[in-house]
Structure formats: structure tokens, C-alpha cells
Amino acid sequence: MIVLGIESSCDETAIAIIKSEQEKSVLKKEILSHVILSQIDEHKKFGGVFPEVASRLHLENIGLVFDEAIQKSGISLNEIDAIAATCGPGLIGSVVVGASFGKGLALSLNKPFISVNHLLGHALMSRFIYDDLEFPYLLFLASGGHSIIGILKSPTEFIKLGGTIDDSAGECFDKVARMLDLPYPGGPNIEKIAEFGDETRFNFPIPLNNKSCNLSFSGLKTAVLYQVQELKKQKSALTVQDKADIAASFQKTVAEVFRKKITNAKRVSLELLKEYEISSVVLSGGVAANKKIRSVIESFAAKNKYKCYIPPLKLCTDNGAMIAWAGTEIFRINPKINDISTDIIKEHIFNQKK
Ligand code: KG4
Ligand code: ZN
């Protein structure tokens, strides 16, 4: 089976082609091509993603990205079995570009179109990489727009245990980075300067430090802002070391939030969902690229005898392979699927309120 996946929900125009084949008990999978065109340089000057610019750039580039993906894959168009595209959540103008391109392609090739939820793409990415990752698993999904904890039972069933009540983890990294005059995207830049910072210098509060699986990041963001203002009052500008210390102390606090919340999720899942045998934990989304946060989840897993799965760094952030792979998983469950006539934005399993 060959599935082409299109991702255009934010600032990456990405297309990947994934081939999968059942060989005895093993599903063999291979990325035939993967082209990502990042718009980051265009958005840097605005300090974040400028939605109108993003959709225009997707429109300009999607044809080029598609041509390159096909050429690099070495396959011909009629070998593709299905077209998958991100159909939300994301910047609506950007989502519409990729989804419409995908629908047009599916119609012209007379192949099914598969609507993929962007978060499901992140949530399933580890199943592409690790053959032994089976459902159900404990999922901590932390991206620029979302932070969700729950149990993924299948590509179509999710039990939400908690989510953010205000900012997402990635958004908090981005906003704190802006306070420190670091360029967009904030996460990797905070991580970079945190390396030479003292994480014990500032004591930031742990938000929603209770037994729930819900998350909150806006209070932490404000605490960092007050600290920055305080230091600026004392000496007019932050030194390079001040910034590194703030970044390290902030990153340590976020990592501690992750540790506490995944521990809560384990307890809640044991209490409420006794019927599920959960033995795996998955960290996914852009924030999963953070080494400190990865190590916190890894040590939680080791301590609690869970198997831990985190995609390699470059597959944590938005990419086309996650959409091609989610499309493949959906298509394998439901080979008759065709979302060509359904609305681009529809209800999805991560939508539940909690
Ligand atoms: O999943 P993603 O690529 O896009 C969305 O679906 O939103 O996540 C992007 C987010 C951004 O907020 C970015 O700052 C954050 O992931 N991020 C990181 C790191 N790399 C990306 N946060 C912390 N540490 C990183 N190394
Ligand atoms: Zn994403």
C-alpha cells in the first residue's frame, strides 16, 4: 500500500510518500520520499507565524513540494493507493490549501481521499518507527497549539484524561522565548541557551500542582515575565547569563510539570480504566523534541516499568510522514474510506471537552 500525505496546517509545507506491506506478522514500512519546506525564515520577522503569509506561501509552494516528493520517491502517480491530508486543527487558510490540493489530486487520480487529524498524526508517529508499539498507550501530546494527555486505544478511539486550560506547552516556550528576545520558534532556542544556564537560579511556580491531569501554562509564563521585568528594573538589560539562567529554570519547571502530570495520568488510568492494560507511554508533538522533557518521560517510564516511545527529533515537529502514516493506519482499518465529500474540518477524537 502506498499513501501520500500532505501537511500544511502551520508553517511547514510537507509531503511524504509511505509504502507499507504486511510480511507475515510484521508490517514493513518505508518512507519513499519526504519533502519539507519550512517557512520559519519568513515568519521570524513577525516573531511568530503570520497566518495570511503562511497560507500564501503554502499556495505558492505546494506544487513544487509535490513534484519533488513524486520525483524522489521513484514511483509513478498511478501507484499511489490513497491521498491523505491534514484537515485541521491548524491555521484555517493553511489547512485549506493542503486539503484542497489533496482532494483535487485524489479526484484526478480516482483514488480515495483520507482526512487526517493533525494531532492524530503526531499521536501515531511512534507506531511508524517502533514495530512493537501497540494500543492502548498513554499519550502525552505537546505541540505549539495543543497539550493533551490520555489513552489512545486505536486511531479512532481516545480517552482524554486532561488537557491545557489555557496556553499549550509549545506556546509557552514560544512566548518565554520572545521575552528573552530569542527568535521564533522559541522551543529549540530556549533549549539551546538553557544548556549553559543555571536551572536552580530561579524558582518558578509549578502550575496546577494538583492530582489532576489538566495543565496550565499561562501562570508560569507570567511568572517568567515578572522575573524578566524585575531584572530589567535592577540593571536595565538582561545579560546573556541571565537569559540562559531563566531559560534553564523555565525549562526545568516545564519538565517537572510533565513529570507530575504523566504520573497523575498513570494513577488515573489505573483507577478509572482497570480494564486496559497500559504498559507503554508515548510522548509526541513539537515539544517532544526537547531533550530535558524527553529524559523526564523516559525516566518516568523506566521507574514505572512502562515502555517509552518518542519519535526521533526531526519527526517530533510537523512533517509529512506523520500524515502519510496516519492515513496508512486509517486506510488499513477501513479500506473503503473516502472523505472526498466530507467537510474539511470535522469532529475528531481529541475534541472532547474535559
Ligand atoms: O508539533 P509542532 O511542530 O507544531 C504544532 O502542531 O503546533 O510544534 C511546534 C511547537 C512550537 O511551539 C515549538 O516552540 C515547540 O514545538 N518546540 C519545542 C522544541 N522544538 C519545537 N519546544 C521545546 N523544545 C524544543 N526543542
Ligand atoms: Zn504539529
Short mmCIF file of all heavy atoms in Angstrom, two decimals, residues 199-259:
data_model
loop_
_atom_site.label_atom_id
_atom_site.label_comp_id
_atom_site.label_asym_id
_atom_site.label_seq_id
_atom_site.Cartn_x
_atom_site.Cartn_y
_atom_site.Cartn_z
N GLU A 199 19.87 26.11 36.18
CA GLU A 199 18.43 25.86 36.32
C GLU A 199 17.93 26.02 37.75
O GLU A 199 16.75 25.97 38.00
CB GLU A 199 18.07 24.47 35.77
CG GLU A 199 18.71 23.32 36.50
CD GLU A 199 18.26 21.96 36.00
OE1 GLU A 199 17.85 21.84 34.83
OE2 GLU A 199 18.31 21.00 36.80
N THR A 200 18.88 26.24 38.68
CA THR A 200 18.44 26.40 40.08
C THR A 200 18.35 27.89 40.47
O THR A 200 17.96 28.21 41.59
CB THR A 200 19.45 25.71 41.04
OG1 THR A 200 20.72 26.35 40.88
CG2 THR A 200 19.59 24.23 40.74
N ARG A 201 18.75 28.77 39.54
CA ARG A 201 18.80 30.20 39.94
C ARG A 201 17.40 30.77 40.22
O ARG A 201 17.24 31.56 41.16
CB ARG A 201 19.51 31.02 38.85
CG ARG A 201 19.55 32.49 39.20
CD ARG A 201 20.53 33.28 38.37
NE ARG A 201 20.24 34.71 38.44
CZ ARG A 201 20.59 35.58 37.54
NH1 ARG A 201 21.28 35.18 36.47
NH2 ARG A 201 20.29 36.86 37.66
N PHE A 202 16.42 30.41 39.41
CA PHE A 202 15.07 30.97 39.61
C PHE A 202 14.10 29.84 39.95
O PHE A 202 14.14 28.77 39.34
CB PHE A 202 14.60 31.70 38.35
CG PHE A 202 15.49 32.83 37.95
CD1 PHE A 202 16.35 32.69 36.87
CD2 PHE A 202 15.49 34.02 38.67
CE1 PHE A 202 17.20 33.73 36.50
CE2 PHE A 202 16.34 35.06 38.31
CZ PHE A 202 17.20 34.92 37.22
N ASN A 203 13.21 30.16 40.90
CA ASN A 203 12.23 29.16 41.33
C ASN A 203 10.87 29.53 40.79
O ASN A 203 10.14 30.29 41.41
CB ASN A 203 12.19 29.17 42.85
CG ASN A 203 12.43 27.78 43.37
OD1 ASN A 203 12.11 26.80 42.70
ND2 ASN A 203 12.99 27.69 44.56
N PHE A 204 10.53 29.02 39.62
CA PHE A 204 9.22 29.35 39.06
C PHE A 204 8.17 28.38 39.60
O PHE A 204 8.47 27.22 39.88
CB PHE A 204 9.27 29.29 37.52
CG PHE A 204 10.18 30.32 36.92
CD1 PHE A 204 11.23 29.96 36.08
CD2 PHE A 204 9.98 31.68 37.20
CE1 PHE A 204 12.07 30.92 35.53
CE2 PHE A 204 10.83 32.65 36.65
CZ PHE A 204 11.87 32.26 35.82
N PRO A 205 6.91 28.87 39.72
CA PRO A 205 5.87 28.00 40.31
C PRO A 205 5.45 26.89 39.35
O PRO A 205 5.47 27.06 38.13
CB PRO A 205 4.70 28.97 40.53
CG PRO A 205 4.93 30.06 39.53
CD PRO A 205 6.41 30.19 39.34
N ILE A 206 5.08 25.76 39.93
CA ILE A 206 4.53 24.65 39.13
C ILE A 206 3.03 24.89 39.01
O ILE A 206 2.32 24.84 40.01
CB ILE A 206 4.75 23.29 39.83
CG1 ILE A 206 6.19 23.11 40.25
CG2 ILE A 206 4.18 22.14 39.01
CD1 ILE A 206 7.03 22.26 39.41
N PRO A 207 2.54 25.18 37.80
CA PRO A 207 1.11 25.46 37.67
C PRO A 207 0.24 24.22 37.85
O PRO A 207 0.68 23.11 37.53
CB PRO A 207 0.98 26.01 36.24
CG PRO A 207 2.28 25.76 35.57
CD PRO A 207 3.26 25.19 36.53
N LEU A 208 -0.97 24.41 38.37
CA LEU A 208 -1.94 23.32 38.62
C LEU A 208 -1.24 22.12 39.27
O LEU A 208 -1.34 21.01 38.77
CB LEU A 208 -2.62 22.87 37.32
CG LEU A 208 -3.80 23.67 36.79
CD1 LEU A 208 -4.45 22.94 35.61
CD2 LEU A 208 -4.85 23.89 37.87
N ASN A 209 -0.55 22.42 40.33
CA ASN A 209 0.22 21.39 41.02
C ASN A 209 -0.72 20.57 41.92
O ASN A 209 -0.70 20.69 43.13
CB ASN A 209 1.34 22.06 41.84
CG ASN A 209 2.34 21.05 42.34
OD1 ASN A 209 2.24 19.87 42.04
ND2 ASN A 209 3.31 21.53 43.11
N ASN A 210 -1.58 19.79 41.26
CA ASN A 210 -2.57 19.01 42.00
C ASN A 210 -2.63 17.60 41.41
O ASN A 210 -1.74 17.22 40.66
CB ASN A 210 -3.94 19.69 41.93
CG ASN A 210 -4.35 19.95 40.48
OD1 ASN A 210 -3.89 19.26 39.56
ND2 ASN A 210 -5.20 20.92 40.26
N LYS A 211 -3.69 16.88 41.72
CA LYS A 211 -3.73 15.48 41.29
C LYS A 211 -4.37 15.29 39.91
O LYS A 211 -4.51 14.16 39.43
CB LYS A 211 -4.47 14.65 42.32
CG LYS A 211 -3.67 14.51 43.61
CD LYS A 211 -4.26 13.46 44.51
CE LYS A 211 -3.19 13.02 45.51
NZ LYS A 211 -3.64 11.97 46.37
N SER A 212 -4.81 16.40 39.30
CA SER A 212 -5.49 16.25 38.01
C SER A 212 -4.48 16.11 36.87
O SER A 212 -3.28 16.33 37.03
CB SER A 212 -6.38 17.47 37.73
OG SER A 212 -5.65 18.45 37.04
N CYS A 213 -4.99 15.73 35.71
CA CYS A 213 -4.13 15.62 34.52
C CYS A 213 -4.24 16.89 33.67
O CYS A 213 -3.66 16.94 32.58
CB CYS A 213 -4.54 14.41 33.69
SG CYS A 213 -4.38 12.88 34.59
N ASN A 214 -5.01 17.87 34.16
CA ASN A 214 -5.09 19.11 33.39
C ASN A 214 -3.80 19.91 33.54
O ASN A 214 -3.08 19.79 34.54
CB ASN A 214 -6.29 19.94 33.83
CG ASN A 214 -7.56 19.43 33.18
OD1 ASN A 214 -7.51 18.83 32.10
ND2 ASN A 214 -8.69 19.64 33.82
N LEU A 215 -3.56 20.72 32.54
CA LEU A 215 -2.32 21.51 32.51
C LEU A 215 -2.66 22.99 32.40
O LEU A 215 -3.72 23.36 31.91
CB LEU A 215 -1.50 21.13 31.26
CG LEU A 215 -1.10 19.67 31.16
CD1 LEU A 215 -1.27 19.18 29.73
CD2 LEU A 215 0.32 19.49 31.62
N SER A 216 -1.72 23.81 32.85
CA SER A 216 -1.89 25.25 32.69
C SER A 216 -0.49 25.84 32.53
O SER A 216 0.43 25.44 33.24
CB SER A 216 -2.56 25.84 33.93
OG SER A 216 -2.34 27.23 33.96
N PHE A 217 -0.34 26.73 31.58
CA PHE A 217 0.99 27.32 31.38
C PHE A 217 1.00 28.85 31.44
O PHE A 217 2.05 29.46 31.39
CB PHE A 217 1.59 26.86 30.05
CG PHE A 217 2.00 25.40 30.08
CD1 PHE A 217 1.19 24.43 29.50
CD2 PHE A 217 3.16 25.00 30.72
CE1 PHE A 217 1.55 23.09 29.55
CE2 PHE A 217 3.54 23.67 30.77
CZ PHE A 217 2.73 22.71 30.18
N SER A 218 -0.21 29.45 31.55
CA SER A 218 -0.20 30.92 31.47
C SER A 218 0.39 31.54 32.74
O SER A 218 1.05 32.58 32.68
CB SER A 218 -1.58 31.46 31.14
OG SER A 218 -2.39 31.38 32.26
N GLY A 219 0.17 30.92 33.91
CA GLY A 219 0.73 31.44 35.17
C GLY A 219 2.25 31.38 35.16
O GLY A 219 2.93 32.30 35.61
N LEU A 220 2.77 30.30 34.60
CA LEU A 220 4.23 30.13 34.52
C LEU A 220 4.82 31.22 33.60
O LEU A 220 5.83 31.85 33.92
CB LEU A 220 4.55 28.73 33.99
CG LEU A 220 6.01 28.43 33.69
CD1 LEU A 220 6.89 28.62 34.91
CD2 LEU A 220 6.16 26.98 33.18
N LYS A 221 4.13 31.43 32.49
CA LYS A 221 4.55 32.46 31.54
C LYS A 221 4.60 33.83 32.24
O LYS A 221 5.56 34.58 32.10
CB LYS A 221 3.53 32.47 30.38
CG LYS A 221 3.70 33.52 29.35
CD LYS A 221 2.49 33.51 28.42
CE LYS A 221 1.23 34.00 29.11
NZ LYS A 221 0.02 33.89 28.28
N THR A 222 3.55 34.13 33.04
CA THR A 222 3.50 35.42 33.74
C THR A 222 4.62 35.50 34.79
O THR A 222 5.25 36.55 34.95
CB THR A 222 2.12 35.60 34.41
OG1 THR A 222 1.12 35.36 33.42
CG2 THR A 222 1.94 36.99 34.96
N ALA A 223 4.88 34.39 35.46
CA ALA A 223 5.95 34.39 36.48
C ALA A 223 7.30 34.71 35.82
O ALA A 223 8.12 35.46 36.37
CB ALA A 223 6.01 33.04 37.18
N VAL A 224 7.52 34.16 34.62
CA VAL A 224 8.78 34.46 33.91
C VAL A 224 8.81 35.93 33.52
O VAL A 224 9.83 36.62 33.69
CB VAL A 224 8.94 33.55 32.66
CG1 VAL A 224 10.20 33.94 31.89
CG2 VAL A 224 9.01 32.08 33.06
N LEU A 225 7.66 36.43 33.06
CA LEU A 225 7.60 37.84 32.66
C LEU A 225 7.95 38.76 33.84
O LEU A 225 8.75 39.68 33.71
CB LEU A 225 6.18 38.18 32.14
CG LEU A 225 5.95 39.62 31.74
CD1 LEU A 225 6.78 39.98 30.49
CD2 LEU A 225 4.48 39.89 31.46
N TYR A 226 7.37 38.48 35.03
CA TYR A 226 7.66 39.30 36.21
C TYR A 226 9.15 39.25 36.56
O TYR A 226 9.75 40.24 36.93
CB TYR A 226 6.82 38.85 37.41
CG TYR A 226 5.35 39.20 37.29
CD1 TYR A 226 4.39 38.57 38.08
CD2 TYR A 226 4.91 40.18 36.39
CE1 TYR A 226 3.04 38.89 37.98
CE2 TYR A 226 3.56 40.50 36.28
CZ TYR A 226 2.63 39.85 37.07
OH TYR A 226 1.31 40.16 36.96
N GLN A 227 9.73 38.06 36.42
CA GLN A 227 11.16 37.91 36.73
C GLN A 227 12.01 38.74 35.76
O GLN A 227 12.96 39.42 36.16
CB GLN A 227 11.55 36.43 36.64
CG GLN A 227 12.96 36.15 37.10
CD GLN A 227 13.21 36.57 38.54
OE1 GLN A 227 12.64 36.01 39.47
NE2 GLN A 227 14.03 37.59 38.72
N VAL A 228 11.62 38.70 34.47
CA VAL A 228 12.35 39.48 33.45
C VAL A 228 12.24 40.97 33.78
O VAL A 228 13.23 41.71 33.77
CB VAL A 228 11.80 39.17 32.04
CG1 VAL A 228 12.33 40.15 31.01
CG2 VAL A 228 12.14 37.73 31.64
N GLN A 229 11.01 41.39 34.12
CA GLN A 229 10.79 42.82 34.44
C GLN A 229 11.61 43.23 35.66
O GLN A 229 12.20 44.31 35.69
CB GLN A 229 9.30 43.07 34.67
CG GLN A 229 8.50 43.05 33.38
CD GLN A 229 7.00 43.11 33.60
OE1 GLN A 229 6.51 42.87 34.71
NE2 GLN A 229 6.26 43.41 32.55
N GLU A 230 11.64 42.37 36.66
CA GLU A 230 12.38 42.64 37.89
C GLU A 230 13.88 42.83 37.60
O GLU A 230 14.51 43.79 38.05
CB GLU A 230 12.15 41.45 38.86
CG GLU A 230 12.84 41.55 40.20
CD GLU A 230 12.36 42.75 41.01
OE1 GLU A 230 11.18 43.11 40.89
OE2 GLU A 230 13.20 43.34 41.73
N LEU A 231 14.41 41.93 36.79
CA LEU A 231 15.85 42.02 36.46
C LEU A 231 16.13 43.28 35.65
O LEU A 231 17.15 43.94 35.84
CB LEU A 231 16.29 40.78 35.67
CG LEU A 231 16.44 39.49 36.47
CD1 LEU A 231 16.66 38.31 35.54
CD2 LEU A 231 17.60 39.58 37.45
N LYS A 232 15.19 43.62 34.74
CA LYS A 232 15.40 44.81 33.91
C LYS A 232 15.37 46.09 34.76
O LYS A 232 16.04 47.07 34.47
CB LYS A 232 14.34 44.88 32.81
CG LYS A 232 14.66 43.96 31.63
CD LYS A 232 13.68 44.14 30.50
CE LYS A 232 14.08 43.26 29.32
NZ LYS A 232 13.00 43.15 28.33
N LYS A 233 14.53 46.04 35.83
CA LYS A 233 14.46 47.19 36.74
C LYS A 233 15.81 47.38 37.44
O LYS A 233 16.30 48.48 37.60
CB LYS A 233 13.37 46.94 37.78
CG LYS A 233 12.32 48.06 37.81
CD LYS A 233 11.42 47.94 39.02
CE LYS A 233 10.29 46.96 38.79
NZ LYS A 233 9.57 46.58 40.02
N GLN A 234 16.40 46.23 37.80
CA GLN A 234 17.66 46.29 38.56
C GLN A 234 18.84 46.74 37.69
O GLN A 234 19.72 47.44 38.12
CB GLN A 234 18.00 44.91 39.13
CG GLN A 234 17.09 44.48 40.26
CD GLN A 234 17.26 42.99 40.56
OE1 GLN A 234 18.19 42.35 40.10
NE2 GLN A 234 16.33 42.44 41.33
N LYS A 235 18.87 46.28 36.43
CA LYS A 235 20.08 46.58 35.65
C LYS A 235 19.82 46.91 34.18
O LYS A 235 20.66 46.64 33.32
CB LYS A 235 21.07 45.41 35.76
CG LYS A 235 20.46 44.03 35.57
CD LYS A 235 21.54 42.99 35.69
CE LYS A 235 21.04 41.65 36.06
NZ LYS A 235 22.06 40.65 36.14
N SER A 236 18.66 47.41 33.89
CA SER A 236 18.21 47.89 32.57
C SER A 236 18.17 46.83 31.47
O SER A 236 17.24 46.80 30.69
CB SER A 236 19.00 49.13 32.11
OG SER A 236 20.23 48.74 31.57
N ALA A 237 19.15 45.96 31.37
CA ALA A 237 19.07 44.92 30.33
C ALA A 237 19.54 43.59 30.90
O ALA A 237 20.39 43.56 31.81
CB ALA A 237 19.93 45.30 29.13
N LEU A 238 18.98 42.50 30.36
CA LEU A 238 19.40 41.18 30.82
C LEU A 238 20.75 40.82 30.21
O LEU A 238 21.00 41.10 29.04
CB LEU A 238 18.40 40.11 30.38
CG LEU A 238 16.94 40.25 30.82
CD1 LEU A 238 16.16 38.99 30.46
CD2 LEU A 238 16.85 40.49 32.32
N THR A 239 21.59 40.19 31.00
CA THR A 239 22.86 39.69 30.45
C THR A 239 22.59 38.36 29.74
O THR A 239 21.52 37.75 29.93
CB THR A 239 23.89 39.44 31.56
OG1 THR A 239 23.37 38.39 32.40
CG2 THR A 239 24.16 40.69 32.38
N VAL A 240 23.57 37.92 28.98
CA VAL A 240 23.45 36.62 28.30
C VAL A 240 23.25 35.52 29.35
O VAL A 240 22.44 34.60 29.17
CB VAL A 240 24.73 36.36 27.45
CG1 VAL A 240 24.74 34.94 26.90
CG2 VAL A 240 24.80 37.37 26.31
N GLN A 241 23.97 35.65 30.48
CA GLN A 241 23.85 34.63 31.53
C GLN A 241 22.47 34.66 32.19
O GLN A 241 21.89 33.61 32.47
CB GLN A 241 24.97 34.82 32.59
CG GLN A 241 25.12 33.63 33.53
CD GLN A 241 25.44 32.32 32.79
OE1 GLN A 241 26.36 32.28 31.99
NE2 GLN A 241 24.64 31.27 33.03
N ASP A 242 21.92 35.89 32.40
CA ASP A 242 20.56 35.98 32.96
C ASP A 242 19.59 35.20 32.08
O ASP A 242 18.75 34.44 32.56
CB ASP A 242 20.08 37.44 32.99
CG ASP A 242 20.78 38.27 34.05
OD1 ASP A 242 21.28 37.69 35.03
OD2 ASP A 242 20.84 39.51 33.87
N LYS A 243 19.71 35.44 30.76
CA LYS A 243 18.77 34.80 29.82
C LYS A 243 18.92 33.27 29.86
O LYS A 243 17.93 32.54 29.88
CB LYS A 243 19.02 35.29 28.39
CG LYS A 243 18.59 36.73 28.19
CD LYS A 243 18.75 37.15 26.74
CE LYS A 243 18.39 38.62 26.58
NZ LYS A 243 18.50 39.08 25.21
N ALA A 244 20.16 32.83 29.91
CA ALA A 244 20.40 31.38 29.95
C ALA A 244 19.85 30.79 31.24
O ALA A 244 19.25 29.70 31.22
CB ALA A 244 21.90 31.11 29.83
N ASP A 245 20.00 31.51 32.36
CA ASP A 245 19.51 31.00 33.65
C ASP A 245 17.98 30.96 33.66
O ASP A 245 17.38 30.01 34.18
CB ASP A 245 20.02 31.89 34.80
CG ASP A 245 21.55 31.81 34.96
OD1 ASP A 245 22.15 30.88 34.37
OD2 ASP A 245 22.12 32.66 35.67
N ILE A 246 17.37 32.00 33.08
CA ILE A 246 15.89 32.00 33.01
C ILE A 246 15.43 30.84 32.14
O ILE A 246 14.52 30.08 32.50
CB ILE A 246 15.37 33.35 32.45
CG1 ILE A 246 15.58 34.45 33.49
CG2 ILE A 246 13.88 33.24 32.08
CD1 ILE A 246 15.22 35.85 33.03
N ALA A 247 16.08 30.67 30.97
CA ALA A 247 15.68 29.59 30.05
C ALA A 247 15.81 28.24 30.74
O ALA A 247 14.91 27.39 30.67
CB ALA A 247 16.56 29.64 28.79
N ALA A 248 16.93 28.03 31.45
CA ALA A 248 17.16 26.73 32.10
C ALA A 248 16.17 26.51 33.24
O ALA A 248 15.62 25.41 33.38
CB ALA A 248 18.60 26.67 32.62
N SER A 249 15.91 27.55 34.03
CA SER A 249 14.98 27.41 35.16
C SER A 249 13.56 27.18 34.65
O SER A 249 12.80 26.38 35.21
CB SER A 249 15.00 28.66 36.04
OG SER A 249 16.31 28.95 36.45
N PHE A 250 13.21 27.89 33.57
CA PHE A 250 11.88 27.72 32.98
C PHE A 250 11.72 26.30 32.42
O PHE A 250 10.74 25.61 32.68
CB PHE A 250 11.68 28.77 31.87
CG PHE A 250 10.58 28.44 30.91
CD1 PHE A 250 9.24 28.56 31.30
CD2 PHE A 250 10.86 27.98 29.62
CE1 PHE A 250 8.21 28.24 30.41
CE2 PHE A 250 9.84 27.65 28.74
CZ PHE A 250 8.51 27.78 29.14
N GLN A 251 12.73 25.86 31.66
CA GLN A 251 12.67 24.53 31.05
C GLN A 251 12.56 23.43 32.11
O GLN A 251 11.81 22.47 31.96
CB GLN A 251 13.92 24.33 30.20
CG GLN A 251 13.94 23.04 29.40
CD GLN A 251 15.18 22.93 28.55
OE1 GLN A 251 15.14 23.17 27.36
NE2 GLN A 251 16.28 22.57 29.15
N LYS A 252 13.30 23.63 33.21
CA LYS A 252 13.25 22.65 34.30
C LYS A 252 11.83 22.58 34.89
O LYS A 252 11.31 21.51 35.18
CB LYS A 252 14.24 23.05 35.41
CG LYS A 252 14.29 22.09 36.57
CD LYS A 252 15.05 22.66 37.76
CE LYS A 252 14.25 23.74 38.45
NZ LYS A 252 14.87 24.30 39.65
N THR A 253 11.19 23.76 35.00
CA THR A 253 9.83 23.80 35.57
C THR A 253 8.85 23.08 34.63
O THR A 253 8.00 22.31 35.07
CB THR A 253 9.38 25.27 35.79
OG1 THR A 253 10.41 25.94 36.51
CG2 THR A 253 8.10 25.35 36.56
N VAL A 254 8.97 23.34 33.32
CA VAL A 254 8.06 22.67 32.37
C VAL A 254 8.28 21.15 32.44
O VAL A 254 7.33 20.38 32.47
CB VAL A 254 8.27 23.19 30.92
CG1 VAL A 254 7.38 22.42 29.95
CG2 VAL A 254 7.99 24.68 30.82
N ALA A 255 9.53 20.75 32.51
CA ALA A 255 9.83 19.32 32.58
C ALA A 255 9.22 18.71 33.85
O ALA A 255 8.69 17.60 33.83
CB ALA A 255 11.34 19.10 32.56
N GLU A 256 9.25 19.47 34.93
CA GLU A 256 8.67 19.00 36.19
C GLU A 256 7.15 18.86 36.06
O GLU A 256 6.55 17.92 36.58
CB GLU A 256 9.06 19.98 37.32
CG GLU A 256 8.64 19.61 38.72
CD GLU A 256 9.11 18.23 39.18
OE1 GLU A 256 10.00 17.63 38.55
OE2 GLU A 256 8.54 17.73 40.18
N VAL A 257 6.54 19.80 35.33
CA VAL A 257 5.09 19.70 35.06
C VAL A 257 4.81 18.39 34.32
O VAL A 257 3.89 17.64 34.67
CB VAL A 257 4.59 20.90 34.21
CG1 VAL A 257 3.16 20.69 33.74
CG2 VAL A 257 4.71 22.21 34.99
N PHE A 258 5.63 18.11 33.31
CA PHE A 258 5.44 16.88 32.53
C PHE A 258 5.57 15.65 33.44
O PHE A 258 4.80 14.71 33.34
CB PHE A 258 6.45 16.80 31.37
CG PHE A 258 5.99 17.53 30.13
CD1 PHE A 258 5.71 18.89 30.16
CD2 PHE A 258 5.83 16.86 28.93
CE1 PHE A 258 5.28 19.56 29.02
CE2 PHE A 258 5.39 17.52 27.78
CZ PHE A 258 5.12 18.88 27.84
N ARG A 259 6.55 15.68 34.33
CA ARG A 259 6.77 14.53 35.21
C ARG A 259 5.56 14.31 36.13
O ARG A 259 5.06 13.20 36.27
CB ARG A 259 8.04 14.73 36.05
CG ARG A 259 8.54 13.46 36.74
CD ARG A 259 9.67 13.74 37.72
NE ARG A 259 9.26 14.61 38.82
CZ ARG A 259 8.49 14.25 39.83
NH1 ARG A 259 8.03 13.00 39.90
NH2 ARG A 259 8.15 15.11 40.78
#
